[in-house]
């Protein structure tokens, strides 16, 4: 009965959330068929989400309550704890579904669960033994996982800022982090084998070591990067690994150490692995969500790292106290004796039957690697799809990683249930994982894009839930392989570490093979097909190996081949206009096909036809138009024509960001330019520009040199390059990692590359904090349209001189500003009279503005401003709007 009630709560919460999203847009009613379908999808998402929460919560509670005798009472009374999720019904009076509301609901739910559990425990005589239980140790491992993920997110951002956000740097950093965890697992297994009576002490040592490194990590990374950035790729790779080796080794060592410890009491490998794997991944998932949604909102990078350090030291202290208490109780290092709070409960699993080893160890290693590769490849493609659909919100990576880890944690529970029931052979179960996981993944991307056309917010929520469900299937593999492949009586820690390393190696192959190689050769959609077919092929092989008779083997082979053939046949129709659906969401129509698409490992570039100049999108975000005419000014191209009005003699120019090439074309038409260097992070723009005869002229200009690199990294690697003018048509200030080109640290770096009197001129994208930041670094600033110009020399050019310089623009013998054309002269007059006087004092005098730094990531996580019509991020932290109450909603028809 409780289950039905909780699922009903989820359905109501899901439907109410959808209505809130619609009401926030000003309407609720639409075509009746669409509304019914949308409400049913929302209700299903709500039911799936609350079922996942319930499954995860009950596992935690069951572990915490081990030996306390309260499990049955808890199961009878936990339904009321889910009532906070009905807060979405408050949308009827204008309380919006936003980050504060979601986390308030989650906090209320967690408090209700805690109160219920401890009220039941306190009534039991054995309640005092809770802090001696293995459930307490598992909880501390959850906190340890939280610290590890906080480090990973912050360290990655710092490394990206120092070494670049281009795909090569991203691949190296992510791969080396995972590789370090694998090495740490081997080290942990060896130490667990060598010091079996000191396992909790080893865990304490690991936590202290990680925390001590965390204290110095950020300044150390920046110091090392400053002296090694100029090294070749191999040198940079070795440097990053040297930086990450120490903390990641200790992080990876904790799992085999604690699994060995728990196995001494449970005598059940699958149960030990699944329990700890669940708690650690759930802790990591929570940290991933908290970091991007809360910690980065209130703190800077250094403060967030110190929070992780505090978690490490707290865990070390509490585990140390645990060892002291256990030593006093005479059970620490007691070999096969269980702790006082768990002896009775685990009497039935005192020994692990020898018959459980039905899977060769070598086969387990291979399957662990394959599962790791398929699962991580799916995650990488999910990141690409959802990032594109949201124009790379900075929170997206943390959200995807968080829900992916939630799925992996829940999958470990599923693997444990299979281990305990033992009704199916491991090969049959693994075959089912690859079969259903691959089919669900194949279907999920087209389904996700279809839901996007109904409602953007609903589509994002649906993608998170589906992502978690698919990850849960593959998350069950590690505990199952450990249980069925590790010999009874063998060194559990060592054996587990090898399986874990195999999984890590496969996972590392995800960013290397899929992210770096396959995505550079095939589209997102085709890579989904490739990964799905790979999973189906593995499923078929496992089914064939599991079958004992030839007819059964032939049947499975035929069935899997049919599935693969159907996937290939359905591919063109299933994935038709997937990118368009994600790009245009509710505004999508079947006629809105892109004119050009370029996909590579560096990102997705799309072009939409438009009468005012084709629109170019980079990574799902507006990136300009193909237009060089200052009269039509469809892409506000006049901003670049103002360059000679801001610097008297811009002879040597650096442009960061090529995009469609319109800005480079304009600069090439100014006769005073003698040298121009262009740095672009995505080489795919070359192909797109090549489709436009006007813009592609820039590739034949001998004055222009092109570099395909991260702009900040290029400046760091070329300290002697000096310019009169640095031009950046910077992307939206709220997009992921835009801080790297807007912060004080970047502006100081750019300043060292300017000749005396040099100017940096870039897009504020309507953020006054961007302009304020420039004012804190340079002596003089001015603005034109959305651009800010900064220099240590004053902007004092007369209107007549500006007019004279503007008239120098010419395309061959044809002047850009034609004196015989009335419209052209009107525009020239407006530009010549534009106010580009010094505005530094006006901005520095504003108390409402803040400087952007690498540490605070202000415009990404703290201040949400902007006028982009697709930027619904501005609504992220606003929790109450009376005008969005349901009673003000109006009908809408398409």
């Amino acid at each position: 009965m409780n289950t039905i009630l909780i699922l009903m709560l989820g359905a109501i919460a899901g439907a109410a959330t959808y209505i809130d999203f619609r009401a926030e847009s000003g309407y609720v009613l639409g075509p009746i068929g669409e509304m019914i379908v949308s409400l049913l999808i929302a209700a299903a998402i709500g039911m799936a989400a609350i079922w996942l929460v319930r499954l995860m919560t009950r596992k935690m509670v069951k572990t915490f309550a081990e030996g306390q005798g309260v499990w049955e009472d808890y199961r009878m009374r936990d339904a009321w704890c889910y009532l906070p999720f009905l807060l979405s019904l408050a949308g009827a009076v204008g309380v919006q579904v936003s980050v504060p509301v979601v986390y308030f609901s989650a906090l209320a739910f967690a408090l209700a669960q805690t109160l219920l559990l401890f009220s039941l425990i306190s009534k039991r005589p054995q309640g005092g033994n809770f802090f001696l239980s293995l459930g307490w140790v598992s909880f501390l491992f959850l906190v340890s996982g939280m610290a590890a993920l906080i480090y990973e997110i912050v360290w990655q951002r710092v490394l990206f800022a120092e070494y670049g956000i281009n795909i090569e740097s991203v691949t190296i950093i992510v791969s080396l982090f995972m590789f370090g965890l694998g090495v740490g697992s081997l080290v942990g297994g060896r130490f667990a084998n060598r010091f079996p009576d000191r396992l909790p002490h080893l865990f304490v040592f690991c936590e202290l070591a990680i925390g001590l490194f965390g204290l110095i990590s950020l300044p150390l990374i920046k110091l090392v990067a400053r002296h090694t950035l100029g090294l070749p790729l191999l040198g940079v790779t070795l440097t990053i690994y040297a930086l990450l080796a120490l903390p990641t080794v200790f992080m990876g060592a904790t799992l085999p150490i604690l699994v060995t410890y728990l196995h001494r009491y449970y005598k059940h490998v699958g149960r030990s692995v699944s329990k700890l794997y669940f708690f650690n991944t759930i802790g990591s998932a929570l940290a991933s969500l908290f970091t991007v949604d809360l910690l980065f909102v209130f703190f800077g990078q250094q403060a967030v790292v110190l929070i992780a350090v505090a978690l490490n030291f707290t865990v070390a202290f509490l585990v140390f106290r645990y060892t002291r208490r256990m030593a006093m109780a005479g059970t620490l290092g007691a070999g096969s004796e269980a702790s006082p709070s768990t002896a009775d409960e685990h009497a039935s699993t005192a020994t692990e039957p020898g018959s459980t080893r039905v899977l060769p160890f070598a086969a387990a290693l291979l399957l662990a690697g394959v599962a790791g590769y398929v699962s991580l490849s799916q995650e990488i493609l999910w990141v690409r799809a959802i990032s594109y659909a949201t124009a790379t919100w900075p929170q997206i990576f943390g959200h995807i990683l968080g829900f992916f880890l939630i799925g992996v944690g829940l999958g470990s529970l599923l693997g444990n249930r299979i281990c305990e029931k033992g009704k199916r052979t491991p090969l049959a179960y693994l075959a089912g994982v690859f079969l259903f996981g691959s089919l669900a993944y194949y279907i999920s991307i087209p389904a996700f894009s279809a839901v996007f056309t109904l409602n953007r917010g609903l589509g994002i929520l649906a993608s998170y839930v589906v992502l978690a469900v698919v990850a849960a299937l593959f998350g069950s593999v590690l505990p199952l392989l450990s249980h069925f492949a590790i010999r009874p009586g063998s060194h559990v820690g060592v054996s587990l570490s090898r399986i874990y390393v195999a999984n890590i190696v496969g996972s590392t192959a995800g960013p290397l093979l899929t992210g770096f190689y396959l995505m550079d050769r095939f589209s997102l959609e085709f890579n989904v097909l490739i990964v799905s077919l790979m999973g189906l092929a593995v499923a078929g092989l496992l089914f064939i190996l599991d079958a004992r008779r030839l007819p059964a083997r032939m049947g499975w082979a035929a069935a899997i081949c049919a599935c693969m053939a159907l996937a290939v046949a359905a591919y063109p129709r299933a994935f038709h206009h997937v990118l368009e659906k994600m790009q245009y969401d509710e505004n999508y129509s079947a006629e809105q096909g892109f004119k050009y698409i370029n996909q590579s490992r560096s990102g997705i570039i799309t072009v939409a036809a438009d009468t005012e100049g084709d629109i170019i999108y980079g990574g799902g975000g507006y990136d300009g138009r193909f237009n060089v005419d200052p009269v039509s000014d469809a892409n506000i191209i006049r901003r670049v024509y103002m360059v000679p009005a801001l610097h008297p003699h811009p002879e040597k120019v650096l442009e960061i960001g090529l995009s469609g090439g319109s800005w480079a074309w304009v600069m090439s038409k100014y006769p005073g330019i003698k040298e121009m260097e262009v740095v672009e992070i995505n080489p795919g723009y070359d192909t797109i520009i090549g489709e436009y005869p006007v813009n592609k002229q820039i590739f034949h200009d001998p004055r222009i040199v092109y570099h395909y690199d991260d702009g900040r990294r290029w400046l760091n690697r070329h300290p002697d390059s000096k310019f009169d003018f640095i031009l950046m048509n910077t992307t939206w200030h709220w997009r992921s990692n835009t801080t790297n080109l807007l912060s004080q640290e970047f502006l100081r770096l750019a300043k060292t590359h300017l000749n005396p009197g040099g100017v940096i001129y870039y897009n504020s994208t309507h953020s006054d904090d961007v302009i304020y930041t420039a004012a804190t670094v340079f002596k003089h600033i001015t603005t034109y349209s959305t651009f800010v110009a900064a220099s240590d020399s004053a902007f004092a050019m007369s209107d007549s001189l500006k007019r004279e310089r503007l008239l120098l623009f010419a395309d061959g013998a044809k002047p850009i500003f034609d004196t015989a054309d009335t419209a052209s002269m009107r525009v020239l007059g407006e530009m010549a009279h534009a106010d580009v006087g010094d505005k530094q004092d006006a901005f520095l005098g504003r108390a409402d503005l803040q400087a952007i730094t690498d540490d605070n990531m202000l415009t990404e996580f703290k201040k949400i401003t902007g006028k982009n019509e697709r930027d619904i991020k501005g609504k992220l932290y606003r929790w109450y709007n009376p005008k969005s109450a349901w009673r003000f909603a109006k009908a809408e028809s398409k």
Side-chain angles (χ1 to χ4, degrees):
M1 189 64 184
N2 273 0
T3 300
I4 296 175
L5 178 61
I6 291 171
L7 290 177
M8 288 178 60
L9 290 176
I12 294 171
T17 299
Y18 171 72
I19 296 174
D20 290 343
F21 282 143
R22 300 280 291 189
E24 191 177 350
S25 302
Y27 55 84
V28 172
L29 300 178
I32 188 66
E34 177 186 307
M35 286 300 301
I36 292 175
V37 171
S38 299
L39 284 172
L40 288 175
I41 292 174
I45 293 171
M47 292 172 68
I50 207 164
W51 178 81
L52 291 173
V53 170
R54 179 173 178 261
L55 187 63
M56 180 175 64
T57 304
R58 285 200 164 189
K59 175 61 178 178
M60 288 184 181
V61 170
K62 190 171 185 178
T63 301
F64 293 157
E66 282 181 339
Q68 309 300 322
V70 300
W71 173 241
E72 292 302 325
D73 287 343
Y74 169 82
R75 291 179 59 191
M76 297 293 294
R77 305 179 185 183
D78 71 327
W80 66 271
C81 297
Y82 292 83
L83 292 176
F85 292 115
L86 291 181
L87 188 60
S88 56
L89 290 171
V93 294
V95 176
Q96 299 175 329
V97 178
S98 58
V99 169
V101 172
V102 169
Y103 278 97
F104 178 80
S105 300
L107 178 61
F109 170 74
L111 288 175
Q113 292 282 350
T114 302
L115 289 173
L116 174 61
L117 179 60
F118 279 96
S119 66
L120 295 174
I121 290 177
S122 63
K123 298 176 183 178
R124 299 296 192 276
Q126 62 270 44
N129 291 332
F130 173 72
F131 295 103
L132 292 176
S133 68
L134 297 180
W136 176 240
V137 176
S138 300
F139 172 74
L140 295 179
F141 197 40
L142 179 149
V143 179
S144 173
M146 293 182 69
L149 229 293
I150 292 173
Y151 286 131
E152 179 181 351
I153 291 176
V154 177
W155 290 345
Q156 282 188 7
R157 283 196 65 99
V158 175
L159 287 166
F160 291 158
E162 299 298 327
Y163 287 100
I165 193 63
N166 56 317
I167 187 62
E168 291 81 6
S169 295
V170 172
T171 301
I172 290 171
I173 292 167
V174 173
S175 299
L176 290 179
F177 195 95
M178 298 178 68
F179 180 75
L181 294 177
V183 173
S185 178
L186 290 175
V187 173
R190 291 294 182 186
F191 273 89
N193 181 36
R194 187 171 181 179
F195 304 102
D197 294 333
R198 291 290 182 267
L199 298 175
H201 301 86
L202 289 174
F203 183 69
V204 170
F205 178 77
C206 289
E207 291 296 308
L208 289 175
I210 297 168
L212 290 172
F213 181 86
L215 284 173
I216 62 170
S217 59
L218 297 196
L220 177 63
I221 291 172
K222 294 175 182 178
L223 176 65
V224 172
R226 196 174 304 127
H227 291 88
T228 60
L229 188 62
L231 295 175
L233 183 62
L234 178 60
V236 170
T237 301
L238 294 176
T239 299
I240 295 175
Y241 179 68
L243 280 170
L244 297 178
L246 180 66
T248 54
V249 163
F250 283 115
M251 290 175 186
T254 55
L255 180 62
I257 287 172
L258 284 188
V259 165
T260 303
Y261 182 66
L262 261 67
H263 182 257
R264 291 163 56 186
Y265 300 108
Y266 289 140
K267 302 302 177 186
H268 193 287
V269 175
R271 187 173 193 177
S272 302
V273 174
S274 67
K275 179 184 292 290
L276 286 175
Y277 200 50
F278 168 76
F279 275 88
N280 192 247
T281 52
I282 292 302
S284 299
L286 294 175
S288 184
L289 298 172
F290 291 164
T291 300
V292 298
D293 283 337
L294 297 177
L295 297 183
F296 280 168
V297 174
F298 295 103
F299 307 103
Q301 291 176 352
Q302 183 62 65
V304 172
V305 164
L306 292 178
I307 291 172
V309 170
L311 292 177
N312 286 133
F313 288 162
T314 300
V315 170
F317 172 72
L318 293 175
V319 174
F320 178 74
R321 287 195 63 186
Y322 169 83
T323 61
R324 295 289 299 273
R325 288 179 176 178
M326 292 293 287
M328 293 175 62
T331 57
L332 188 64
S336 61
E337 295 177 15
S339 66
S341 63
T342 60
D344 294 338
E345 184 165 341
H346 300 307
S348 62
T349 58
T351 60
E352 190 171 16
S355 61
T356 57
R357 185 183 179 271
V358 295
L359 192 64
F361 196 77
L365 296 179
L366 178 61
L367 287 170
V370 172
Y373 172 74
V374 172
S375 183
L376 251 293
S377 295
Q378 290 179 346
E379 183 194 6
I380 289 169
L381 296 175
W382 267 117
V383 170
R384 171 62 64 90
I386 301 177
S387 295
Y388 174 83
T390 59
T392 59
W393 288 357
Q395 292 87 356
I396 284 300
F397 175 74
H399 288 173
I400 294 174
L401 183 58
F403 280 90
F404 178 80
L405 290 171
I406 286 174
V408 171
L410 293 173
S412 70
L413 303 185
L414 182 60
N416 180 48
R417 290 175 67 95
I418 299 298
C419 294
E420 292 182 340
K421 291 183 177 181
K423 294 181 179 180
R424 302 182 66 184
T425 64
L427 286 181
Y429 176 73
L430 290 170
V433 165
F434 280 94
L435 174 62
F436 292 109
S438 299
L439 289 176
Y441 179 68
Y442 176 85
I443 296 170
S444 62
I445 299 295
F448 154 66
S449 65
V451 176
F452 240 70
T453 63
L454 297 177
N455 183 272
R456 168 173 289 267
L458 189 62
I460 294 172
L461 293 177
S463 68
Y464 290 162
V465 173
V466 174
L467 168 67
V469 172
V470 176
L473 290 170
F474 287 96
S476 65
V477 171
L478 183 64
L480 186 140
L481 291 176
S482 302
H483 180 74
F484 285 103
I486 296 177
R487 295 182 180 89
S490 65
H491 299 300
V492 172
V494 174
S495 299
L496 170 68
S497 67
R498 292 173 180 170
I499 295 176
Y500 187 58
V501 166
N503 186 256
I504 289 292
V505 169
S507 299
T508 305
L512 290 174
L513 179 57
T514 300
F516 194 76
Y517 180 79
L518 293 179
M519 289 181 68
D520 202 43
R521 284 154 178 79
F522 305 107
S523 66
L524 164 69
E525 304 94 315
F526 197 75
N527 271 291
V528 171
L529 177 64
I530 291 173
V531 173
S532 300
L533 292 178
M534 185 179 299
L536 291 174
V538 173
L541 179 61
L542 292 176
F543 275 126
I544 291 171
L545 291 175
D546 184 63
R548 297 184 178 181
R549 297 181 179 180
L550 182 60
R553 293 179 180 179
M554 294 179 64
W556 278 118
I560 293 299
C561 287
C563 285
M564 296 174 71
L566 182 61
V568 172
Y571 168 77
R573 185 172 182 82
F575 288 84
H576 180 64
H577 278 192
V578 160
L579 294 181
E580 286 86 346
K581 293 173 183 176
M582 291 189 284
Q583 176 81 51
Y584 296 115
D585 47 75
E586 294 102 321
N587 299 313
Y588 167 77
S589 66
E591 295 77 26
Q592 288 178 301
F594 287 127
K595 187 174 182 179
Y596 302 113
I597 298 175
N598 180 277
Q599 297 195 55
S600 67
R601 63 192 178 202
S602 299
I604 301 175
I605 304 169
T606 56
V607 178
D610 191 89
T611 55
E612 295 185 359
D614 291 352
I615 305 172
I616 187 169
Y617 297 94
Y622 175 80
D623 215 8
R625 290 176 184 264
F626 287 95
N627 173 64
V628 296
D629 181 9
V631 176
S632 68
D633 201 31
N635 51 348
I636 325 181
I637 197 68
R638 296 175 193 174
R639 294 173 296 182
V640 67
Y641 280 105
M642 285 295 291
V643 166
L646 299 169
H647 190 287
H649 302 289
E651 296 181 351
K652 189 173 182 181
V653 175
L654 170 68
E655 181 184 7
I656 298 179
L658 177 63
S659 186
S662 297
W663 291 64
W665 186 93
V666 171
M667 292 302 296
S668 71
K669 303 308 174 185
Y670 187 72
I673 302 295
K674 295 181 178 179
E675 298 178 50
M676 183 172 172
E677 301 201 50
V678 177
V679 180
E680 170 56 52
I681 199 169
N682 189 342
Y685 282 104
D686 278 10
T687 304
I688 295 295
I689 294 172
E691 300 291 341
Y692 292 83
V694 172
N695 289 41
K696 75 176 182 180
Q697 295 174 18
I698 61 176
F699 296 130
H700 305 292
D701 192 323
R703 297 172 298 168
I704 306 178
V705 179
Y706 298 91
H707 309 276
Y708 296 99
D709 200 351
D710 175 89
R712 180 163 172 165
R713 184 174 74 167
W714 190 90
L715 288 174
N716 274 319
R717 283 185 161 181
H718 298 81
D720 298 327
S721 295
K722 302 288 184 180
F723 303 93
D724 301 314
F725 208 96
I726 297 178
L727 173 67
M728 302 192 304
N729 191 6
T730 325
T731 189
W732 295 99
H733 60 273
W734 48 263
R735 295 182 77 180
S736 182
N737 292 293
T738 311
T739 295
N740 293 351
L741 293 178
L742 298 177
S743 67
Q744 286 180 328
E745 290 85 351
F746 172 77
L747 293 179
R748 294 190 186 107
L749 170 65
K751 190 175 182 179
T752 65
H753 288 269
L754 290 173
N755 290 320
V759 176
I760 182 171
Y761 183 52
Y762 60 106
N763 200 343
S764 71
T765 59
H766 303 283
S767 170
D768 286 349
D769 290 298
V770 172
I771 304 173
Y772 177 87
T773 304
T776 65
V777 176
F778 290 88
K779 295 179 182 179
H780 304 278
I781 67 162
T782 191
T783 60
Y784 178 75
S785 183
T786 63
F787 265 54
V788 55
S791 176
D792 282 342
S793 297
F795 298 98
M797 195 175 294
S798 66
D799 289 356
S800 60
L801 186 57
K802 285 187 286 185
R803 178 187 175 87
E804 177 184 324
R805 297 294 169 81
L806 289 168
L807 284 171
L808 293 176
F809 278 102
D811 183 11
K814 180 183 178 182
I816 300 296
F817 294 95
D818 187 354
T819 55
D821 183 80
T822 304
S824 184
M825 286 300 95
R826 176 183 55 78
V827 171
L828 178 67
E830 291 175 358
M831 295 178 66
H833 289 86
D835 177 16
V836 288
D838 198 298
K839 302 175 183 177
Q840 184 181 45
D841 291 341
F843 279 91
L844 288 181
R846 289 178 55 178
D848 62 315
L849 302 180
Q850 293 177 257
I852 305 165
T853 67
D854 287 348
D855 184 73
N856 66 27
M857 304 166 290
L858 183 75
T859 57
E860 291 185 59
F861 294 99
K862 293 178 174 61
K863 278 197 172 182
I864 317 298
T865 57
K867 298 181 180 179
N868 180 11
E869 67 277 9
R870 295 188 70 247
D871 178 15
I872 65 171
K873 187 170 177 281
K875 303 169 185 175
L876 208 59
Y877 294 92
R878 187 178 64 202
W879 66 275
Y880 180 65
N881 179 17
K883 293 183 180 180
S884 71
W886 296 357
R887 67 179 182 276
F888 294 118
K890 60 185 179 182
E892 183 258 5
S893 59
K894 294 185 178 181

